[in-house]
Amino acid sequence: MRNSMIYINFEPFAHLFLTYGLAASDIVHEPAKAPHHVLLLPPIDEDEFIDPHTGFNVISGQEAVSTFMRSQEASGRSWLDYQHGAYLQELTPSEIAELLYLGHMKTHMQSPFYYKLQNNFVVLPLHNAMTNLYFRHLSAFDFALSSAIRRHLRWAANEQPFWLRLRQQQFPIVPPETLKPLRQLMTDGIVFDFSHVIFSREHVKLPVIQPTQRFIPERDVVGNQVGSLTLNRMTKQWQFDQNKVAESDLIN
């Protein structure tokens, strides 16, 4: 179960998503959309470039940032993007202290979207394989989630009989308008359960579960199925079918 699910809990006011199963590579699902500059929060790597004003490691250049986000290192590093190198020089000591707090406590003291940095993302991996993700624009999260769903579906489809795998490698993007109705459910936490995904010639049906216990990655999920994310393989269209009444049977 550990590697066959995505968990999301959404805090709307902070634009904060507590997640499991999303990767930094999902944020830059298209290399052309990768940020041009990334500020890595401590610990500091003395062998990498260190910005003299902040004392933090930085990565610059779209290609270098894209390579970092697809690396194993990215899964354990806290970072945020910024628009221009000169903006770092404008940070005050108190703002640098806020960044230190952000990297150490893995949560915000004030809004983590800085006017001076013009950042769109903050990524804070936690000790339990979960990650706090901040998105300035919620639509960007929808695209990241779509990327993660398609990635997990490819893994799940590889376990299917050959006749079901004929067209499995090219799952279409899940459009934001399909994912938007899920956002209200995310405030209480939801799980996309790829261990129970149903593949057929006509459809791919992915259960959406609302846990009834605290989500812990190492434990099986107990909860109610609140709907299904369904792909029509003929039309290549996604839709979310929400249960009018949550199913009474627990999934575990």
Side-chain angles (χ1 to χ4, degrees), residues 20-146:
Y20 176 84
L22 269 72
S25 58
D26 294 314
I27 296 174
V28 288
H29 51 95
E30 296 179 27
K33 295 185 177 181
H36 287 264
H37 305 281
V38 162
L39 183 69
L40 300 176
L41 301 179
I44 306 302
D45 186 342
E46 299 290 342
D47 296 325
E48 299 296 334
F49 181 79
I50 299 175
D51 171 65
H53 180 71
T54 62
F56 298 157
N57 293 123
V58 297
I59 301 174
S60 290
Q62 198 169 49
E63 183 177 350
V65 170
S66 181
T67 297
F68 163 73
M69 291 189 180
R70 285 168 167 75
S71 69
Q72 185 63 35
E73 179 189 5
S75 64
R77 293 300 304 267
S78 297
W79 59 270
L80 65 159
D81 64 305
Y82 61 98
Q83 291 298 315
H84 297 288
Y87 290 179
L88 292 181
Q89 314 311 311
E90 302 299 322
L91 292 175
T92 65
S94 62
E95 289 168 332
I96 294 172
E98 284 183 27
L99 291 171
L100 285 169
Y101 180 91
L102 190 67
H104 179 67
M105 299 302 294
K106 310 300 182 185
T107 189
H108 60 286
M109 184 164 53
Q110 299 186 48
S111 171
F113 301 112
Y114 293 89
Y115 174 77
K116 292 178 181 177
L117 298 181
Q118 292 293 296
N119 62 304
N120 292 307
F121 313 107
V122 181
V123 178
L124 305 171
L126 308 176
H127 64 85
N128 57 0
M130 299 176 71
T131 304
N132 276 335
L133 297 175
Y134 296 83
F135 286 79
R136 182 187 293 270
H137 304 291
L138 297 182
S139 59
F141 175 78
D142 292 334
F143 284 109
L145 177 57
S146 173

Side-chain angles (χ1 to χ4, degrees), residues 36 76 128 140 159 237 241 244:
H36 287 264
N128 57 0
E159 303 300 320
Q237 298 296 311
D241 301 309
K244 292 183 179 180

Side-chain angles (χ1 to χ4, degrees), residues 217-231:
E218 292 77 12
R219 297 181 186 174
D220 288 340
V221 174
V222 177
N224 298 314
Q225 182 168 343
V226 293
S228 298
L229 191 62
T230 303
L231 170 66

